[in-house]
Each structure stands twice: as structure tokens, then as C-alpha cells.
Amino acid sequence: MAEHKIIKAGLLGFGTVGAGVYKLAKRQKEEMESKTGARFEITRILVRDRNKERKGVDPALLTDQWEEIIMDDEIELIIEVMGGIEPARTRILEALHAGKNVVTANKDLIAEHGRELLDAAEEHGVDFLFEAAVAGGIPIIRPMKQCLAANEITEVVGIMNGTTNYILTKMFEDGMDFEEALAKATEYGYAEADPTADVEGLDAGRKAAILSSIAFHSRVTFQDVYTEGITKISSRDISYAKEFGSVIKLLSVAHNTEGGIEVAVYPMLIDQNHPLASVRDSFNAVFVHGDAVDDVMFYGRGAGEFPTASAVMGDVIDVIRDIQYHCTGRISCTCYRTTKIKDFRDIKNKFFLRMQVDNKPGVLAAIASVFGVHKVSISKVIQKRITDGVAELVIVTEPVKEYHMEDALMHLRDMETTREISSVIREY
Amino acid sequence: MAEHKIIKAGLLGFGTVGAGVYKLAKRQKEEMESKTGARFEITRILVRDRNKERKGVDPALLTDQWEEIIMDDEIELIIEVMGGIEPARTRILEALHAGKNVVTANKDLIAEHGRELLDAAEEHGVDFLFEAAVAGGIPIIRPMKQCLAANEITEVVGIMNGTTNYILTKMFEDGMDFEEALAKATEYGYAEADPTADVEGLDAGRKAAILSSIAFHSRVTFQDVYTEGITKISSRDISYAKEFGSVIKLLSVAHNTEGGIEVAVYPMLIDQNHPLASVRDSFNAVFVHGDAVDDVMFYGRGAGEFPTASAVMGDVIDVIRDIQYHCTGRISCTCYRTTKIKDFRDIKNKFFLRMQVDNKPGVLAAIASVFGVHKVSISKVIQKRITDGVAELVIVTEPVKEYHMEDALMHLRDMETTREISSVIREY
């Protein structure tokens, strides 16, 4: 049976997520005791500026001295919500080496240094949990490590960035162009002042690295992930997508194939009947295929103060249970394989290509022959005359290796009859 | 650190799910050892007929003697996939009292006797896990008990029966009527020879009872769940649903309100933009609202040999980890509250009502006045003339208590101008 005791934690960082965690821990105080048989207290909060006013927080908890937390033997759990690589990495390592359990929401850190941290946790038999680091409030890491543990997972496809999904939804449903939708996202607080990490797919790429590692039991880091953003998607592409019965989504796509792990982030056309197609606004979703379970999908809020705090506190409750039952470290790193990452240029994709060409006889034949030379099979061509001189051509290919498509595109750009290659978008 | 050892299990039942569990355990043998540090072996299989030929199974494993399993001290885990209340209940209780861990897929049993079994598990400090009992392969129990543990969950709405969802999808997308769609479901093996438990909502009701208990931390049994099936849904209702931008789904709806727990299963109109609306064919999904996480949804296969075996084996892997770390019983019953179940007649719902009435002046006014008397507010009325004598009336109400609607309907049926009340369907 579990002992009744008090579990004390140190909270590192008091930004949006930190404040959410603090408030939620307060709100759930009694419930948590019913659930775990232990009382939970945040006894120390590490902040940069101890004198800044913070509503609803006892100022005595605040400290700007890491030593006061790491040296406090009563603190059994560190909750890291500062974000960024350093000093988060060093502090987490120090905490793990001091035998403290750690819960973090830090995707940047896990995507680059996950192995190092998980190894340290395993060495010291403590919990290192990071459910909040992928897809915010959506339960995904625990379901993959536990519920789906009897599956050989072959595919993980996700909409893992809320900002870009909001932008693409506005473009698709309300006919906005990219700039207008981005402005709306900024107005509503979905996009940051510098939206690069979101719109260029970097944020989604970090999550893809973490999820691929867990799904395929082999380490994938952010550096392994090819990323492409949504800034070049135009209203005209969206119209064609509709015409084809598809929507355009920024997808994180990971496959475990015989030739290695394929992992990339890019905008893709996806059939309107696919469960991911109906994920709207700033919601996230992760679609997983396993050999036993078939298709499963997890849907919810990928960011925000309380959704993220929900995931952090779910981890905290698990740590408390593990401390009570003397089984911390029960589920550690599950990367027991070493699978190579496939070169991005060897991945096969279908492509949607929109280009402006001279509107004269023989042009289509010449283009088709370029594709033929580069081993690209065409599945659909739509030609729309825009003016007397210029025609818009939309070409959809069969699955083709990235490098063949790249070569074909280079060749097409060089043709005299090509006015512009307007869009190159992959198809799921 | 975990010890390397062999964990032995007894499998009760070798039907579709039992065979799936056996095959999956074989397929995952080495992977499981990498994941848990222990070898897993099914050393005994309890069957009714020991002499029936079973492909791919060593006949020496088969037994028709329960004693050979319960008395075997080397067996630390019982996997029950026989189904039904007895003898499953007695055997599980005997196993728990003997200090053996239990994994089961038996929803009928949990929905009626869950508390008794969880209490026995807690008393003996063993694991009693049943992820497969709700929504088949979809991870839902562990996410609710762990990942979402810091939430006050107020709503759980699910499509928890694949047979009826398949039938309703065929009716909606292909214009089939109920009988035709049911025949198709039977042909494809989605519906059983006697489809009552599916089409009358009983199967979904059992799952609703289990999930409500977990979500609201208070015991809900199958007897507490009002159930209504889909046999009366007609193509004409489907057409109106489309006209209103909705679909019709068999929903398990549970709310934790100030007046108590509301839990019921019935067909409902639901907006096409709601994530549950796009759950097609035989797929299941569970939509959960928590105060911190906001909306989350879990989607996947609710039945089938391997999806169900995936959930069973996920539980098995967790039991193995718990045995290795000496922490079985770590997460037991979470029903630490006693919340009353609200009388079904006090639940408020919006209604869609389709009726045939005499097509003459004053009829609509008379009907509207009946609704007024019974405190039913009307939000929409559509009148379509079918013949000179009879008009079809579609009325959508504001949210109204079930018993007020019941009284109004009784009154309406008695009116001389009423030819038929064709449909009464709730709206989500």
C-alpha cells in the first residue's frame, strides 16, 4: 500500500506555462490527494527577476538561486518550464544526477538532447517525463509507450502546430490569403511576434523528431527532420485543393520503412475524408498506424496555458504515484533499436505542381517528356488558359523520389516556355 | 533496476480476441523483452473443448480445468477474454484473491461488477486492467486515469459502437435505409447474427457506464444508463439532418453537472463541423472535455481481433513492468467520490420532431400551444406539404427537460389533427 506523505517540487520558470502549472496544482490540490494518496506542494519557484510582481503567488516561494532548489533534499521533483536549451539542459541534468525526478514541457531540448537526459534518468532510477513537449495537452507519449506498446508502429502523421493550422483553416474556409490569416493569428495570440518557428515548420519538426523516436524505438533528432513551411501556399492552391476534394495541411510525416526512417514536415494536400482533414482552427492531432491497432488518432489543443499545464500535471501525478510505490524510472527510454534515417532525397512523394507556361502547341508534350526523362509518372494534368499568351498548368504526379522530382523541376525551370513554377506541394 | 525474468500468464478463452492475443504475444515476443526486460509466456489456455483443433497453438497449452491455472503458482497474470458475466466474474475474483494480476476485455462484467473486482485487486495489491473493455484498441482508460488526471472532466461523448456507426454512415453517405445497411453490416461481419445489443444501444451503454465512472470518479453501472437504439432512424430523418448541416450518430453522452451525473445513449443530430461528425464507417471515437485540457478526442477501431488484442497486450506489458518494479496495484480504482445519478427525465435536450398532421388552418397554432403548455420552446419549424390532406411538420426545440417533452408528445399524439409522430431525435 501507498504511504501518505508530502511530495515537494521545485518549479523552474514562471511564464505562461509555469503560471498555468502553479494555478492548476493549487486548483487540484485535494483531488490529487484523493488520486495519489499524497499531498503535493510546489515549495520553490525559480525566476529570473524575484522582484517582479506575480499575482496569487506567495513571494516567499520565489528564488533566483538554483542552488536553493538543487541543494534542497526535500524536493523530489523538478518541473522545468523555462524552455530553450540552456540553462534548462544543465539544470535538468544536475537534478537527475541528484536523484530528483523531472517533468518538462521543453520540446526544443528533448528533440536535440533527449537521449542524454533519458540516459541520466535511467542511470539514477528516476522518472523523466515530457508528455507536454509534444502536442501540448493531447495524451500521446504515454499512449504510445504503454497502450500501443504491443504494436509495430509504421506511420505517425500529425498536425502538430496550432498556429499554421489556424492560418490554413482561415485560408481554406474564409478565403483569406496567407498574410491576412497570419495577421489574424497574431491578433488572437496564436502567432508570436516572430512567427518563423511556426510558419517554417521548425516547431512541428521538433515534435516530429520526438514522436518518431518513441514510435520507432530509435533515436531521431531535430537535425534529421526535413522541414518546409507554409509561407508559399496561395489562395489559388487552396482552390485547386478544393476542386480535388482535398484540403492543405502542414503535416509532420514519419514512416518506418525497410530502407530506414523517413521523417519530414511540409504542407500537403490530404483527402477531405481523412480524419486529419477535419482538424480545424488551432487544434492539433496525431494519426498513428500500428500493425495490430490499425489506425488511431489523438486530437486536442497543442498549446496554451492550461492545456499544456494539464499534460505537465498529468506527468506530475504519475511521478507522485511512482514515488509512493517506489518505482520511479519504471518506464524510461524506449529507443532500444538503431535504425538509420533515410536520406530525404530518397523519400517517395506524390506532387501537385502549378506552373505558368507559354500557351502554344507542343508545350505540354515537351513538359511531359521532361518528366519522363526524370522517371516522374504523371497521374493528372489540368490546363486552364488564363490569357492568350499564358496557360496555367496543374500537374499531379504518381509517387516519385524527391531527387527525381528535384531534377525534373530544375529542367522545367530552364525551359524557354516556362514563365513561372508557381507551386510545388506534396500530396499525402 | 528491473530484474530479468520470465512472466507466465494463463489465457481464459480462445475465441476471436483470445486468438488475437495469443498471436500478438507470439509476434511481439522479442520486442516485449526489449521493452520490459522480461520474457513473457502464455503457459496455459483455458478452453471449453480441449479437443477442438486450433491452428498454430501447442495442444499441450490447452486445458479445460480452471484448477490447473488458478493453482499454478508460477502464473502471475490472468488474461480473461471469455466474455459474459459468469464464470468470468468468479474466476477473476479467485485469481485476484490468489494474488494474481488480471487483464480483461470484458465490458459486460466491468459495467456491472467493476467495483467488486477493483476492490479485490486493491485489497491484494495486484493490477486489474481493462483498457480493451472500452472502445477496443483506442487508448482511453490510461489517458483518462493518467494523462488527464489533473482535469475536472465535465463531459464524455462517444461513438462507441462500430456496427451502428457503420450502418448510419451507409445511410448518410449512400442513401441506404436501415434494413439495407444492417444487411451490409452483417455481410461484412460488423453485425452479429442477433444485432440487438448493438442496434439498441446496449453495447454502447455498457461502455458509457465504464467511461463515466472513470471520468467522474464515481461509480456508474449499466443499470444507470438510459439507452435508445437506431432502428427507428429513417432516410427522411437523414435528409433533414443534411439540410440542417448535421449528421446523425449514435452517441454515448455523459455529463457531470451540479444536479448529478447525466448518462445516456441515443441517436443524435450533431453539427457536421464537430470532430465526432467525421468519424465514419466502423470507427469509434471518444470526445472528452476537461477544465484544463479543453477538448480532446481519441479515435480508432472499437473492435476486431487485433485492435482489441492490441489493447489487451498493452495492459499486459504494463503488468509486466509493474511486476518487474514491484509496484502492481499502483493505479487502482479512482472512484473516490459518490455522485448521484440524475434521473433521466430531468436531463435537458434539444429535440428534432417530425410529424404528419392534417393540412388545415390552425393546426400549427394548436401544436405550438401544446408545446407552450408543457414548457417546450421551439427554435425552428419547417412545414412541407406532402399531399392535399397531410402536411409534414419538422420542429426543433430549445433545450427542454425529458419529462416535459414526454408530456408534450403524449398530448400531441392525442390530438385529432395528428396523423403520426414519425420521429423524435435528440440534438447534440
Side-chain angles (χ1 to χ4, degrees):
Chain A
M1 290 306 309
E3 302 157 21
H4 262 266
K5 60 178 276 183
I6 300 172
I7 311 275
K8 294 181 178 173
L11 179 64
L12 315 192
F14 204 80
T16 307
V17 176
V21 168
Y22 183 79
K23 286 184 243 175
L24 192 55
K26 248 180 141 168
R27 197 157 90 190
Q28 284 282 316
K29 206 176 180 70
E30 284 168 36
E31 291 293 316
M32 282 172 71
E33 204 167 334
S34 300
K35 276 167 193 155
T36 65
R39 272 179 61 198
F40 174 69
E41 280 175 18
I42 292 174
T43 55
R44 274 286 185 232
I45 303 173
L46 185 70
V47 291
R48 241 177 306 195
D49 179 2
R50 209 158 51 90
N51 298 314
K52 191 171 146 187
E53 209 202 330
R54 289 173 171 91
K55 261 191 239 163
V57 181
D58 178 359
L61 299 185
L62 303 174
T63 176
D64 50 14
Q65 299 298 313
W66 167 234
E67 289 65 33
E68 288 185 21
I69 296 177
I70 187 73
M71 303 300 282
D72 185 340
D73 287 341
E74 293 200 343
I75 290 180
E76 295 182 77
L77 165 61
I78 298 293
I79 304 168
E80 186 275 308
V81 285
M82 304 185 291
I85 304 291
E86 286 296 354
R89 177 180 151 274
T90 303
R91 287 184 182 155
I92 289 177
L93 281 171
E94 284 176 26
L96 295 171
H97 286 304
K100 296 184 195 302
N101 302 283
V102 173
V103 170
T104 174
N106 195 327
K107 63 179 166 296
D108 302 39
L109 184 58
I110 311 281
E112 288 192 32
H113 302 280
R115 161 137 282 172
E116 179 185 23
L117 303 169
L118 281 157
D119 283 351
E122 200 165 343
E123 187 189 331
H124 296 281
V126 293
D127 279 340
F128 178 66
L129 304 178
F130 48 91
E131 184 66 77
V134 181
I138 305 176
I140 179 69
I141 293 179
R142 202 170 273 99
M144 293 232 289
K145 283 197 173 196
Q146 298 183 242
C147 307
L148 303 180
N151 284 266
E152 186 67 35
I153 293 173
T154 48
E155 182 181 27
V156 180
V157 186
I159 293 174
M160 298 205 225
N161 179 273
T163 311
T164 46
N165 202 47
Y166 177 83
I167 291 171
L168 290 171
T169 303
K170 286 290 148 198
M171 290 176 73
F172 190 85
E173 293 184 4
D174 302 340
M176 291 185 189
D177 63 21
F178 174 78
E179 293 303 336
E180 198 182 347
L182 173 60
K184 251 276 129 7
T186 311
E187 185 189 329
Y188 288 156
Y190 291 139
E192 300 187 45
D194 176 3
T196 312
D198 291 325
V199 299
E200 295 298 353
L202 310 180
D203 173 76
R206 293 195 179 94
K207 295 165 184 168
I210 301 173
L211 273 192
S212 310
S213 303
I214 294 170
F216 308 143
H217 308 295
S218 180
R219 197 69 209 157
V220 179
T221 68
F222 177 51
Q223 285 73 22
D224 299 321
V225 186
Y226 174 87
T227 56
E228 207 177 286
I230 62 162
T231 54
K232 288 178 206 147
I233 303 295
S234 74
S235 313
R236 201 146 173 86
D237 298 323
I238 302 262
S239 308
Y240 277 109
K242 278 187 187 167
E243 203 176 311
F244 296 168
S246 296
V247 299
I248 296 178
K249 295 287 185 190
L250 181 68
L251 298 182
S252 309
V253 186
H255 288 103
N256 194 9
T257 72
E258 291 201 358
I261 292 171
E262 302 178 354
V263 53
V265 172
Y266 23 60
M268 294 186 107
L269 281 88
I270 182 169
D271 189 282
Q272 274 179 344
N273 280 329
H274 192 283
L276 283 170
S278 54
V279 176
R280 301 167 60 245
D281 291 330
S282 65
F283 278 92
N284 285 22
V286 184
F287 182 90
V288 177
H289 183 85
D291 64 345
V293 78
D294 193 27
D295 295 336
V296 282
M297 191 176 81
F298 304 87
Y299 164 102
R301 296 242 170 244
E305 179 178 7
F306 281 108
T308 309
S310 163
V312 169
M313 288 305 294
D315 279 351
V316 166
I317 290 173
D318 249 17
V319 171
I320 296 173
R321 285 167 169 153
D322 287 347
I323 293 176
Q324 294 277 92
Y325 279 83
H326 308 289
C327 60
T328 59
R330 181 176 154 276
I331 298 177
S332 50
C333 184
T334 44
C335 289
Y336 50 81
R337 296 184 195 156
T338 309
T339 312
K340 80 172 177 95
I341 310 290
K342 195 188 267 190
D343 184 336
F344 169 68
R345 290 164 37 93
D346 286 328
I347 295 180
K348 274 189 169 185
N349 270 311
K350 284 193 246 179
F351 285 85
F352 162 99
L353 178 70
R354 186 165 62 83
M355 59 190 295
Q356 318 300 322
V357 297
D358 288 350
N359 185 21
K360 58 184 185 192
V363 173
L364 185 56
I367 289 172
S369 114
V370 168
F371 279 120
V373 166
H374 294 287
K375 304 187 178 174
V376 178
S377 294
I378 293 171
S379 80
K380 184 156 52 186
V381 178
I382 297 173
Q383 178 161 352
K384 295 202 176 173
R385 201 169 60 166
I386 294 182
T387 69
D388 273 351
V390 185
E392 180 166 76
L393 219 55
V394 168
I395 297 166
V396 179
T397 75
E398 296 289 340
V400 40
K401 284 194 176 174
E402 287 279 345
Y403 76 89
H404 283 142
M405 190 62 189
E406 211 174 277
D407 291 347
L409 283 170
M410 212 181 330
H411 200 145
L412 287 179
R413 270 192 204 97
D414 284 347
M415 290 171 77
E416 255 177 43
T417 52
T418 301
R419 303 282 182 100
E420 180 189 272
I421 295 190
S422 314
S423 315
V424 182
I425 307 175
R426 291 165 187 87
E427 208 176 302
Y428 178 73
Chain B
M1 293 308 310
E3 303 156 23
H4 261 267
K5 61 178 276 187
I6 299 172
I7 311 275
K8 293 182 178 173
L11 179 64
L12 314 192
F14 204 80
T16 307
V17 177
V21 168
Y22 183 79
K23 285 184 243 176
L24 193 54
K26 247 179 141 170
R27 196 156 90 190
Q28 284 282 316
K29 205 172 179 74
E30 284 166 36
E31 291 292 316
M32 283 172 71
E33 203 167 335
S34 300
K35 277 168 191 153
T36 64
R39 272 180 60 198
F40 175 69
E41 279 175 17
I42 292 174
T43 56
R44 274 281 183 238
I45 303 173
L46 185 69
V47 291
R48 242 176 303 194
D49 179 2
R50 211 158 50 93
N51 298 315
K52 191 170 145 187
E53 209 203 330
R54 289 171 172 94
K55 261 191 238 162
V57 181
D58 177 359
L61 299 184
L62 303 175
T63 176
D64 50 13
Q65 300 298 313
W66 166 235
E67 289 64 34
E68 288 185 20
I69 296 176
I70 188 72
M71 303 300 282
D72 185 341
D73 287 342
E74 292 200 343
I75 290 180
E76 295 183 77
L77 165 62
I78 298 294
I79 305 168
E80 186 276 307
V81 285
M82 303 185 291
I85 304 291
E86 286 295 356
R89 177 180 151 272
T90 304
R91 288 185 181 155
I92 289 177
L93 282 171
E94 284 176 25
L96 295 171
H97 287 304
K100 297 187 195 299
N101 302 282
V102 174
V103 169
T104 174
N106 194 327
K107 60 179 168 300
D108 301 40
L109 184 59
I110 310 281
E112 287 192 32
H113 302 281
R115 162 137 284 170
E116 179 186 22
L117 302 169
L118 281 157
D119 283 352
E122 201 164 343
E123 188 190 328
H124 296 281
V126 292
D127 278 341
F128 177 67
L129 303 179
F130 48 92
E131 184 67 77
V134 181
I138 305 175
I140 179 68
I141 293 179
R142 202 169 273 100
M144 294 233 287
K145 284 198 171 193
Q146 298 182 243
C147 308
L148 303 179
N151 284 265
E152 186 66 35
I153 292 172
T154 49
E155 182 180 27
V156 180
V157 186
I159 294 173
M160 299 205 225
N161 179 272
T163 311
T164 46
N165 202 48
Y166 178 83
I167 291 171
L168 290 171
T169 303
K170 286 291 150 197
M171 291 176 73
F172 191 86
E173 293 184 4
D174 301 341
M176 291 185 190
D177 63 22
F178 174 77
E179 293 303 337
E180 197 182 346
L182 173 60
K184 249 242 129 42
T186 311
E187 184 189 329
Y188 288 156
Y190 292 140
E192 300 186 46
D194 176 3
T196 313
D198 290 326
V199 299
E200 295 298 351
L202 310 180
D203 173 76
R206 294 197 179 94
K207 295 165 182 168
I210 301 172
L211 272 192
S212 309
S213 303
I214 294 170
F216 308 144
H217 309 294
S218 180
R219 196 68 209 158
V220 178
T221 67
F222 177 50
Q223 285 73 23
D224 298 322
V225 185
Y226 173 86
T227 55
E228 207 177 286
I230 64 161
T231 54
K232 288 178 206 148
I233 303 295
S234 73
S235 311
R236 201 148 172 84
D237 299 323
I238 304 260
S239 307
Y240 276 110
K242 278 187 187 167
E243 202 176 314
F244 296 168
S246 296
V247 299
I248 297 178
K249 294 288 185 189
L250 181 68
L251 298 182
S252 308
V253 186
H255 288 102
N256 195 8
T257 71
E258 291 202 359
I261 292 172
E262 301 177 356
V263 54
V265 172
Y266 22 59
M268 295 187 105
L269 280 89
I270 182 168
D271 190 284
Q272 274 180 346
N273 280 329
H274 192 284
L276 284 171
S278 54
V279 176
R280 301 166 61 248
D281 292 331
S282 66
F283 278 94
N284 284 21
V286 184
F287 182 90
V288 177
H289 184 84
D291 64 345
V293 78
D294 193 27
D295 295 336
V296 282
M297 190 175 81
F298 305 86
Y299 164 101
R301 296 244 170 242
E305 178 178 5
F306 282 108
T308 309
S310 162
V312 169
M313 288 305 295
D315 279 351
V316 166
I317 290 173
D318 250 17
V319 171
I320 297 172
R321 285 166 170 153
D322 287 347
I323 292 175
Q324 294 278 92
Y325 279 83
H326 308 289
C327 60
T328 59
R330 179 175 157 276
I331 298 176
S332 51
C333 184
T334 45
C335 289
Y336 50 81
R337 296 183 195 157
T338 309
T339 312
K340 80 174 177 93
I341 310 290
K342 195 188 266 190
D343 184 336
F344 170 69
R345 290 163 39 92
D346 286 329
I347 295 181
K348 275 188 168 185
N349 269 313
K350 285 195 245 179
F351 284 86
F352 163 98
L353 179 70
R354 185 165 63 83
M355 58 191 294
Q356 317 301 320
V357 297
D358 288 349
N359 186 23
K360 57 186 186 191
V363 172
L364 185 56
I367 289 172
S369 115
V370 167
F371 278 121
V373 166
H374 294 287
K375 304 187 177 172
V376 178
S377 294
I378 292 171
S379 79
K380 182 156 55 185
V381 178
I382 297 172
Q383 180 163 348
K384 296 203 175 171
R385 202 170 59 166
I386 294 181
T387 70
D388 273 350
V390 184
E392 180 165 75
L393 219 56
V394 167
I395 298 168
V396 179
T397 75
E398 298 288 341
V400 42
K401 284 194 176 174
E402 286 280 344
Y403 76 90
H404 283 141
M405 189 63 190
E406 210 173 278
D407 291 348
L409 282 171
M410 211 181 328
H411 199 145
L412 287 178
R413 270 192 202 96
D414 285 347
M415 291 173 76
E416 255 179 44
T417 52
T418 302
R419 303 282 183 100
E420 180 188 275
I421 295 190
S422 314
S423 315
V424 182
I425 308 175
R426 292 163 187 88
E427 207 176 302
Y428 178 73

